[in-house]
Amino acid sequence: MNSDFPRPIGPSPSSEPVRNARKGRSASARPARSDEPRDKFQKSKTPSAEPKAPTVKVSYLPQDPGMLPPQTAEYPADELQAGPSNSRFRISESPSFPPARPNAEGHLVFDVEDPRFDATQAFVIADRSLKMAERYLGRELPWGFSEALGRDQLLIHPHVGADVANAFYSSQSGSLNFYHFTDPVTNEVVRTGQSADVVAHEMGHAILDAMRNEYISSMSIHGGGFHEASGDIIAMLTALQDDAVVEAVHAETQGDLSRPSAITRTAEGLGESIGHMSGVQKDALRNALNNFRYADQHFLPYAPPSRRGDDVLAQESHSYSNLFVGAFYDILTETHTAISGSERDFAKTLKMARDITGSLFFRAVELGPVGEPSYREMAESFLTADEVDFGGKFRPILEAVFLQRGILRPEDLAEFDQQRAGLPELRLTAPVEGKKAAESFLKANRKKLELPDRPYQFLDKRTNESGETVLLYKFDQTFPIDGAEFGSLEGSKGQITGGLTLAFDKDGALVSRCLDDITDREVEDILFHLKRAVGDGMLVAQGTGTGNVQGDDAQALLQSLHLAKVSTPNGYVLRRAPEIWG
């Protein structure tokens, strides 16, 4: 295997000098395949004799405005359409704003103050995030909404509206949506689509929705928290694809990743402005440098107190995400430290650590639960990804971090090892094509897989460049929402999803099995979360004519639990709404 780590993917930035970050702002083990990322991460070589296609320069910022200078990415001219757009993205500009058209040289280069810059910024960062995800997965990633909407392009609205300090991903419309607003202290117009972190975070929701379409409907604090954590993790990994950001991190930390930097702070500009609105000093929207530990949700408030939001863990999804994001950054830091023992080049070792942890994250989702992703299950999926792809090389780091954070307990590790050791010898003897073949395969092997009796439905089949196959199955369960404490939700039904993930290597041998069964405790925890949201006046129930968010506070709306009434074979049920704010 090629032992070289891959280079950052996507369009390449120009080599403008890097400025310092802005000053003065608050601102059972199977044989190991390799110690390095797998062959599928390597780029194919282009014959040098081929003439280089004409390129189009597109302007963007690698971080929030004021942190690093604008740069230009280059795209083959035959891959870019007006907007800019390509086969996966289409900019849809408001009629109130000028469209981004090429200049006389055919390039899309604009000053940061020009509203047309927001279109190129959102396009470049979104495109880079998707290419990164596909590189780590080793396969193309169709959108989660493509089948329902009959469309392969994600819409990007760089100026969807005013006076809202937010942005959102909508699975219902297949779009990313960015607002602008005025900072009440500086009187500056803040455009959320100018923040690379905000764009990449919203893209993180779209990418996770493409990988696990059921997660977006989860009403549990873990489901909502992991969706938000994925947004911040993908924003961090996207930033690290840019050499300018890597250099800035080195300058700010002096090589010590335990210090704050551009990759530990998410959306500095937006966070600072939201702090101005709430009267709380903030240097970022969220921070991966934290010391949160797992606590049962019954001990957590629904939302953090308004003046202590950054140091209190709460049930609300953005707050609860901090726990898993902090764990992920710990893994990145410890991996970098381990690599740095034999390699002194900071940029090289940080990129190596980026690719290891990036691979672990995306593969953990690929091999992980189908329906309700608890933090414990996702941590165990990191262990599975490490064993399948790296032969368990990073187990000590993963184990130490997840134990220290309280996400895993020693008994969880013992049970995980027992399950891995008991993985049955099972092989795909023929390609599984279509729903009937997939369900027949499961029926024939249910006893060998030691599966409980559930109404399994085939969901999807994924294959990657390494020849691996992943089969996904799901099952749903409804539950009553009874009691006066649920307010206007009383008398409704909720729905929870479980499932099964089976992964096979290129030779057809089973390498992992993840059963995500539904327990009474999971249902009870969802009901408790609903009661907390109703009791605290933090409920928005779309399409039901109900809800009890108090006043028009934008922060309260952001932190609210957004539900929607969904038609299913089991009748109308409540699920989390298919739009994720922030």
Side-chain angles (χ1 to χ4, degrees), residues 10 23 81 90 100-101 175 216 301 341 403 458 566:
K23 302 179 186 295
Q81 292 84 47
R90 178 164 66 86
R101 293 194 176 99
S175 63
I216 201 168
L403 284 172
F458 175 63
V566 180

Side-chain angles (χ1 to χ4, degrees), residues 109-363:
V109 177
F110 305 100
D111 292 334
V112 174
E113 296 305 317
D114 191 320
R116 294 173 295 179
F117 181 91
D118 302 356
T120 62
Q121 168 75 356
F123 175 83
V124 170
I125 300 301
D127 184 70
R128 179 171 290 181
S129 296
L130 178 62
K131 285 187 170 76
M132 174 191 74
E134 291 182 334
R135 167 178 167 241
Y136 287 132
L137 288 170
R139 66 179 178 88
E140 186 175 328
L141 193 59
W143 300 120
F145 56 79
S146 288
E147 185 176 347
L149 299 180
R151 192 178 77 229
D152 293 328
Q153 286 177 309
L154 176 72
L155 297 180
I156 300 177
H157 299 125
H159 304 110
V160 75
D163 302 325
V164 177
N166 216 325
F168 71 94
Y169 163 68
S170 171
S171 179
Q172 195 168 33
S173 63
S175 63
L176 303 184
N177 304 272
F178 302 97
Y179 291 87
H180 59 275
F181 65 98
T182 300
D183 185 307
V185 172
T186 66
N187 287 321
E188 294 179 356
V189 174
V190 179
R191 293 133 66 175
T192 61
Q194 279 200 340
S195 167
D197 283 347
V198 173
V199 176
H201 174 95
E202 299 307 327
M203 264 302 296
H205 289 306
I207 288 169
L208 185 60
D209 192 38
M211 297 181 68
R212 285 292 187 270
N213 191 236
E214 301 298 321
Y215 285 10
I216 201 168
S217 300
S218 170
M219 293 191 290
S220 72
I221 70 167
H222 291 268
F226 188 73
H227 233 293
E228 293 300 335
S230 297
D232 282 359
I233 289 168
I234 288 173
M236 185 188 301
L237 291 169
T238 300
L240 286 171
Q241 304 300 315
D242 199 296
D243 287 346
V245 175
V246 172
E247 291 181 33
V249 170
H250 190 199
E252 196 169 2
T253 65
Q254 294 299 298
D256 180 2
L257 291 181
S258 67
R259 296 177 178 179
S261 73
I263 58 169
T264 63
R265 298 184 299 266
T266 300
E268 291 93 328
L270 178 60
E272 185 177 278
S273 293
I274 288 177
H276 292 162
M277 293 175 172
S278 62
V280 178
Q281 185 175 359
K282 294 170 68 74
D283 64 355
L285 193 60
R286 284 179 293 279
N287 202 313
L289 272 182
N290 63 63
N291 59 0
F292 291 120
R293 286 179 51 83
Y294 172 81
D296 188 283
Q297 69 181 73
H298 291 74
F299 297 107
L300 304 178
Y302 175 80
S306 60
R307 297 191 176 274
R308 294 188 59 219
D310 291 337
D311 61 357
V312 174
L313 189 67
Q315 295 181 38
E316 188 274 324
S317 58
H318 297 85
S319 176
Y320 200 64
S321 72
N322 286 312
L323 171 59
F324 207 91
V325 175
F328 179 83
Y329 186 72
D330 290 347
I331 294 167
L332 175 69
T333 299
E334 294 302 320
T335 302
H336 178 261
T337 299
I339 294 170
S340 299
S342 58
E343 173 60 61
R344 299 301 178 186
D345 186 317
F346 178 84
K348 181 178 180 180
T349 53
L350 181 54
K351 291 175 185 179
M352 291 168 68
R354 169 202 70 191
D355 285 331
I356 291 166
T357 53
S359 170
L360 287 171
F361 170 77
F362 282 100
R363 288 283 285 171

Side-chain angles (χ1 to χ4, degrees), residues 516-573:
D516 175 30
D517 207 358
I518 297 171
T519 66
D520 291 341
R521 176 61 193 271
E522 284 180 307
V523 174
E524 291 168 3
D525 285 348
I526 289 173
L527 290 171
F528 178 79
H529 187 46
L530 291 178
K531 281 190 281 190
R532 273 291 178 87
V534 171
D536 287 7
M538 303 293 278
L539 175 70
V540 177
Q542 301 172 10
T544 66
T546 64
N548 65 349
V549 174
Q550 303 301 312
D552 58 356
D553 179 30
Q555 188 70 2
L557 193 63
L558 168 66
Q559 294 179 339
S560 297
L561 179 61
H562 292 246
L563 303 181
K565 184 170 66 175
V566 180
S567 178
T568 73
N570 297 316
Y572 283 102
V573 298

Side-chain angles (χ1 to χ4, degrees), residues 75-93:
Y75 287 84
D78 58 358
E79 293 182 8
L80 209 61
Q81 292 84 47
S85 302
N86 61 15
S87 62
R88 303 304 306 279
F89 299 96
R90 178 164 66 86
I91 296 291
S92 180
E93 185 56 279

Side-chain angles (χ1 to χ4, degrees), residues 472-548:
L472 303 176
Y473 303 84
K474 76 163 191 170
F475 47 89
D476 297 318
Q477 178 180 313
T478 61
F479 54 90
I481 301 175
D482 291 331
E485 64 269 31
F486 292 104
S488 58
L489 298 183
E490 184 180 14
S492 302
K493 288 192 301 183
Q495 181 170 289
I496 185 172
T497 298
L500 173 70
T501 305
L502 300 175
F504 303 85
D505 66 16
K506 62 183 178 62
D507 297 318
L510 181 70
V511 293
S512 75
R513 161 194 175 276
C514 178
L515 173 66
D516 175 30
D517 207 358
I518 297 171
T519 66
D520 291 341
R521 176 61 193 271
E522 284 180 307
V523 174
E524 291 168 3
D525 285 348
I526 289 173
L527 290 171
F528 178 79
H529 187 46
L530 291 178
K531 281 190 281 190
R532 273 291 178 87
V534 171
D536 287 7
M538 303 293 278
L539 175 70
V540 177
Q542 301 172 10
T544 66
T546 64
N548 65 349

